[in-house]
Each structure stands twice: as structure tokens, then as C-alpha cells.
């Protein structure tokens, strides 16, 4: 299992449009092979900071989403809404015995 965190700091004037785009993306992600779940979290100490937490069955499934036109379109659309470039972090989930 692959877990991916996408971290965004949003300009105050763009919070509502950003959340709409996130909602649309989260709905679309379910149609991609290997998608397990995705949730968006808001930082309570920094309310304009969000993290999209996404789980995928395999790295290949996740890469398929990251290279999709849908993901590229959202990235281009969202850049004007952000304080800075998003920070992405990938984690590999391991079973503990």
C-alpha cells in the first residue's frame, strides 16, 4: 500500500474555490485503478493549510494517477490559489508483525 500526502497553503481569497476543486478531484480519484481512499485535512493551527491524504494499492496505480491528464489539469488550475508550490510526500505502508 502506498500513502501520499499532498500539502497546500491556500491564499485566503481562494479557500472556497480550492475546496471545490478538491471536492471534484476527490470524487474523480475513485475512478482510478488501485485507489483505496482519499481524505482532505485542515491544519487547526494554520487554517489555510490543507493536506490531501491518499491511499493506493500500488506505486504503479498511484503513478498512473499522477501522470493522468486529470491530475495535470488540477495542478495547473490550482497554482494561482496557492501561497507556494505544494509539498508532496510519499509513504510506503508496511505490515508490522
Amino acid at each position: 500500500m502506498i500513502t501520499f500526502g499532498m500539502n497546500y497553503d491556500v491564499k485566503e481569497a481562494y479557500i472556497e474555490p480550492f475546496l471545490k476543486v478538491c471536492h471534484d478531484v476527490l470524487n474523480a480519484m475513485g475512478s482510478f485503478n488501485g485507489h483505496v481512499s482519499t481524505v482532505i485535512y485542515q491544519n487547526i493551527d494554520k487554517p489555510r493549510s490543507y493536506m490531501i491524504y491518499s491511499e493506493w494499492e500500488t506505486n504503479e496505480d498511484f503513478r498512473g494517477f499522477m501522470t493522468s491528464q486529470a491530475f495535470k489539469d488540477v495542478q495547473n488550475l490550482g497554482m494561482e490559489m496557492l501561497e507556494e508550490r505544494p509539498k508532496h510526500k510519499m509513504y510506503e505502508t508496511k505490515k508490522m508483525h
Side-chain angles (χ1 to χ4, degrees), residues 11-71:
K11 295 176 184 173
E12 190 166 348
Y14 288 100
I15 291 174
E16 291 295 323
F18 174 80
L19 292 175
K20 172 156 184 4
V21 168
C22 286
H23 184 264
D24 293 346
V25 170
L26 268 59
N27 285 336
M29 288 172 87
S31 67
F32 283 86
N33 288 338
H35 178 259
V36 176
S37 68
T38 299
V39 179
I40 185 168
Y41 294 101
Q42 183 180 28
N43 184 332
I44 61 172
D45 293 325
K46 191 176 174 188
R48 293 184 298 139
S49 182
Y50 297 87
M51 181 184 76
I52 298 175
Y53 177 89
S54 187
E55 292 182 332
W56 296 82
E57 290 181 13
T58 68
N59 191 28
E60 292 76 25
D61 293 330
F62 172 70
R63 294 280 176 217
F65 168 69
M66 292 294 288
T67 59
S68 71
Q69 190 60 47
F71 182 75

